Amino acid sequence: MKKVAIITILIVLIDQVSKFYIKTNFGLGESMTVFEDWFQIVFVENPGMAYGMHWGGIFGKIALAVLRWVLIGFGVWFIFKNQFKYQSNYFYISMGLILAGALGNVIDSTFYGLIFDSGTTWNEDLQSWNRYYDGVSKANFEGYAPLFQGCVVDMLHLPFFDYTWPDWVPMVGGESGTFFAPVFNIADSAITVGGFILLIFKDKVFREYP
């Protein structure tokens, strides 16, 4: 349990420090090139899930935030219950990464609306997210949205290459795109890596010890 806690705390700290820095130093949509053509810092706000996915408007957002806390609670219980049953580093690392990723993003969606003075908000009249606001946010606890209605801060953009589907491919033939297009954050990365470890090394993750 101690190893999981160390990994979780470390990743959450890195995630939150990076988000606070971006939120208080970049305007929404502002970008900075780190490595030409394939690594950029782009500040966007995400009202939903990992990699920019969202659903259900404000109800979906609140429901998702509550569900995340429930799943985090279940995850902590599962890790605590099985800490002596599964003692491999694969178990500790994967659980720590997934838990950290979940915590990193749920902190944003739960509390950022209360901490910062500006952010992406839900427009009840238009039934859509208002993704435009001026200036750089301040962490002055003035708040821009109620509890559970803050938005997740994303900033990592890795557009490795552009592509065009061959004309003979059904449905998408001739269409162009970019790999990897979504903007994400440290928490998203942690969940993804932890999930891959679970899938690829499942037998080692859940190897039982006497």
Side-chain angles (χ1 to χ4, degrees), residues 63 78 102 119 167 210:
F78 177 82
D167 292 334

Side-chain angles (χ1 to χ4, degrees), residues 2 19 27 30-31 68 75 85 94 103 108 120 151 154 159 169 195 204:
K2 184 183 295 185
K19 289 173 177 176
E30 186 176 347
S31 64
R68 279 172 167 165
K85 183 177 181 181
S94 60
L103 273 171
D108 299 23
T120 299
C151 284
D154 291 328
V169 177
K204 294 182 178 180

Side-chain angles (χ1 to χ4, degrees), residues 2-209:
K2 184 183 295 185
K3 291 182 179 179
V4 175
I6 291 172
I7 293 170
T8 300
I9 292 170
L10 180 61
I11 297 297
V12 169
L13 282 175
I14 295 172
D15 177 69
Q16 289 299 308
V17 168
S18 67
K19 289 173 177 176
F20 262 71
Y21 178 80
I22 294 297
K23 180 78 173 170
T24 57
N25 287 275
F26 282 61
L28 190 65
E30 186 176 347
S31 64
M32 178 182 72
T33 298
V34 180
F35 293 109
E36 193 67 32
D37 297 331
W38 68 271
F39 182 21
Q40 301 167 358
I41 302 296
V42 182
F43 174 31
V44 300
E45 288 189 318
N46 169 22
M49 297 176 284
Y51 301 104
M53 297 180 288
H54 61 90
W55 59 275
I58 196 64
F59 173 79
K61 173 159 188 52
I62 295 172
L64 180 61
V66 173
L67 178 62
R68 279 172 167 165
W69 281 114
V70 171
L71 292 176
I72 287 170
F74 174 79
V76 171
W77 170 82
F78 177 82
I79 294 167
F80 185 80
K81 181 176 182 292
N82 293 286
Q83 60 181 316
F84 300 114
K85 183 177 181 181
Y86 309 123
Q87 298 183 40
S88 72
N89 285 330
Y90 289 93
F91 177 77
Y92 297 137
I93 293 171
S94 60
M95 293 297 109
L97 288 171
I98 292 171
L99 184 59
L103 273 171
N105 282 337
V106 80
I107 288 171
D108 299 23
S109 59
T110 302
F111 301 114
Y112 273 24
L114 303 175
I115 295 173
F116 296 99
D117 64 350
S118 60
T120 299
T121 55
W122 176 253
N123 188 313
E124 193 66 36
D125 294 331
L126 298 177
Q127 290 292 295
S128 64
W129 291 98
N130 178 19
R131 296 179 179 272
Y132 304 98
Y133 59 89
D134 294 328
V136 175
S137 299
K138 296 179 181 179
N140 56 12
F141 293 90
E142 288 187 3
Y144 69 86
L147 190 71
F148 296 126
Q149 295 185 33
C151 284
V152 175
V153 173
D154 291 328
M155 80 292 289
L156 303 176
H157 188 215
L158 302 174
F160 289 117
F161 58 85
D162 296 326
Y163 62 87
T164 301
W165 289 100
D167 292 334
W168 53 266
V169 177
M171 305 294 290
V172 295
E175 294 185 7
S176 299
T178 299
F179 182 87
F180 182 72
V183 181
F184 57 101
N185 57 43
I186 300 295
D188 297 335
S189 303
I191 292 176
T192 302
V193 173
F196 273 116
I197 292 174
L198 277 178
L199 289 173
I200 297 171
F201 302 104
K202 179 181 177 182
D203 292 340
K204 294 182 178 180
V205 170
F206 297 113
R207 179 184 175 187
E208 295 188 19
Y209 286 76

